[in-house]
Amino acid sequence: MIRRVLLIYTGGTLGMVRDEHSGALISFALDDVLHKLPELKALGYQLDAITPFHPIDSSQVEPHHWQSIAQSIAEHYSSYDGFVVLHGTDTMAYTAGALSYMLDGLAKPVILTGSQLPLGYPRTDARENLTTAIELAGAINANGHPRVPEVCIYFDYRLFRGNRASKFDSDKFQAFQSPNYPALAEVGTAIRFQDRYIRSTNEPATESVFKLRKGIDPGVAGIRLFPGMSKSVVVPLLESPENRVLLMETFGMGNAPTHPWLLDALRQYINSGRTVVSVTQCRGGYVDMGRYHSATALREMGVVSGRDMTFEAAITKIMWLLGNDYTGIELENSISKGLKGELTET
Ligand code: ASP
């Protein structure tokens, strides 16, 4: 049976050309992308493409773009075996996080990819990233089920769980890493799937369980702790009623300075019925507020541990939970629980 893959083109470097006047990179049409890759025909897939909105540099991505991508997947869910989302690398990990929560009961591959150099440039990484992403989106196992029925990022010969990956390098072709979860596949002359890390590979792709839950509420603030942070900058943020959750990037295993002004402001924030979440600002590892004295006060006041979630996975998860009416203890429990494989439960 011919595998059917839908390409969803949202923009990014892969599909850019240099503007004659300014010299800057701007997006170009999807048809040009496909014409530049005649070898895709060799896969033998039926390949269709859509552009849900005018292609953008991914630094311009907003939650409505996530909703529009998720909506496109939902609308075409039963007609395709897999989906490839062509996306800029800058915010790809955020989009992957958001999609992983929005596409509930997903049983088909959704592979995000992009490139560091535009298609058509000498030494470009676009050709390999796109071709293999499409191959992965249509790949099936011996039972005829999709090999990777989850939201993934494919980049530079490695396939990652999307909500575990982060952009680590703005220059190297190996732009993404997944420090707390192994790659789902490594690509050489053959594609080596790591089945034990892939979600439910043997579940049939039943449409009945799939549900689009695209609610998003951006009522979250993010703050990265640093030595010398000042009361006059931080306290107004915590006093602002606009944010209902504060995502704090803490030191090491969840440690923070014990300045009384900081602890008092956080305590007041929590006492006003709002939630503080801690993720580590380290590239890998996790939060354990029981380990050092510098985290004891945070744990005692009820700061919620984001465990080993990346910042991208945590912030999109919080927006999604708020947008789906999670509040109070249900919100807090859901933050530190794994919903779509985004964190390691102990
Ligand atoms: N600024 C570009 C973007 O994120 C970078 C890239 O695609 O790699 O859209």
Side-chain angles (χ1 to χ4, degrees), residues 11-14 16 56-60 87-92 114-117 155 167 170:
T13 296
L14 190 142
M16 287 182 176
I56 49 173
D57 183 298
S58 80
S59 50
Q60 308 306 317
H87 196 287
T89 55
D90 290 350
T91 63
M92 190 185 288
S115 63
Q116 293 284 57
L117 282 175
F155 219 88
K167 183 171 179 181
S170 62

Side-chain angles (χ1 to χ4, degrees), residues 106-159:
L106 181 71
K108 297 184 178 186
V110 173
I111 317 284
L112 284 87
T113 196
S115 63
Q116 293 284 57
L117 282 175
L119 195 64
Y121 270 45
R123 297 190 296 104
T124 185
D125 53 336
R127 193 168 283 273
E128 202 293 311
N129 286 350
L130 179 55
T131 310
T132 305
I134 293 170
E135 184 169 358
L136 288 163
I140 47 175
N141 62 20
N143 304 327
H145 300 149
R147 286 306 295 260
V148 275
E150 51 176 299
V151 176
C152 304
I153 289 181
Y154 178 70
F155 219 88
D156 196 51
Y157 302 103
R158 290 182 302 171
L159 181 71

Side-chain angles (χ1 to χ4, degrees), residues 52-115:
F53 42 80
H54 185 76
I56 49 173
D57 183 298
S58 80
S59 50
Q60 308 306 317
V61 161
E62 293 288 337
H64 70 85
H65 294 109
W66 302 334
Q67 290 171 322
S68 162
I69 299 167
Q71 179 78 42
S72 299
I73 293 169
E75 277 166 13
H76 296 93
Y77 193 72
S78 53
S79 312
Y80 290 91
D81 300 297
F83 302 84
V84 170
V85 180
L86 264 179
H87 196 287
T89 55
D90 290 350
T91 63
M92 190 185 288
Y94 292 90
T95 299
L99 292 179
S100 74
Y101 309 119
M102 289 176 169
L103 303 173
D104 201 22
L106 181 71
K108 297 184 178 186
V110 173
I111 317 284
L112 284 87
T113 196
S115 63

Side-chain angles (χ1 to χ4, degrees), residues 140-325:
I140 47 175
N141 62 20
N143 304 327
H145 300 149
R147 286 306 295 260
V148 275
E150 51 176 299
V151 176
C152 304
I153 289 181
Y154 178 70
F155 219 88
D156 196 51
Y157 302 103
R158 290 182 302 171
L159 181 71
F160 298 119
R161 175 165 294 162
N163 57 26
R164 291 293 199 147
S166 286
K167 183 171 179 181
F168 264 64
D169 202 300
S170 62
D171 167 56
K172 294 194 176 74
F173 288 141
Q174 201 175 89
F176 286 86
Q177 288 190 22
S178 170
N180 289 330
Y181 199 76
L184 306 183
E186 306 250 2
V187 176
T189 53
I191 299 179
R192 290 176 189 86
F193 291 97
Q194 303 295 325
D195 284 333
R196 62 189 182 287
Y197 301 124
I198 298 173
R199 280 167 78 83
S200 55
T201 35
N202 283 315
E203 295 295 316
T206 44
E207 270 93 65
S208 54
V209 294
F210 174 75
K211 196 163 173 256
L212 176 62
R213 297 181 70 190
K214 61 176 186 168
I216 282 279
D217 180 337
V220 54
I223 177 174
R224 184 178 173 95
L225 301 185
F226 56 92
M229 56 195 285
S230 99
K231 180 179 177 182
S232 59
V233 174
V234 174
V235 169
L237 177 72
L238 298 193
E239 282 173 353
S240 153
E242 302 300 318
N243 59 75
R244 283 171 288 141
V245 179
L246 174 74
L247 179 59
M248 196 161 65
E249 284 186 276
T250 48
F251 302 131
M253 283 198 167
N255 303 315
T258 49
H259 308 310
W261 68 261
L262 178 63
L263 298 181
D264 285 348
L266 291 171
R267 216 171 271 117
Q268 267 174 36
Y269 189 90
I270 292 170
N271 290 343
S272 69
R274 299 186 285 169
T275 301
V276 178
V277 182
S278 168
V279 289
T280 177
Q281 57 183 251
C282 296
R283 292 308 205 174
Y286 54 90
V287 164
D288 176 359
M289 287 182 280
R291 188 71 75 102
Y292 293 95
H293 179 67
S294 297
T296 308
L298 301 186
R299 192 187 54 188
E300 285 173 354
M301 71 175 79
V303 169
V304 175
S305 170
R307 299 176 187 265
D308 63 350
M309 268 189 291
T310 61
F311 181 82
E312 297 92 323
I315 203 120
T316 51
K317 180 179 188 177
I318 293 164
M319 286 191 211
W320 181 83
L321 290 169
L322 291 174
N324 284 278
D325 302 325

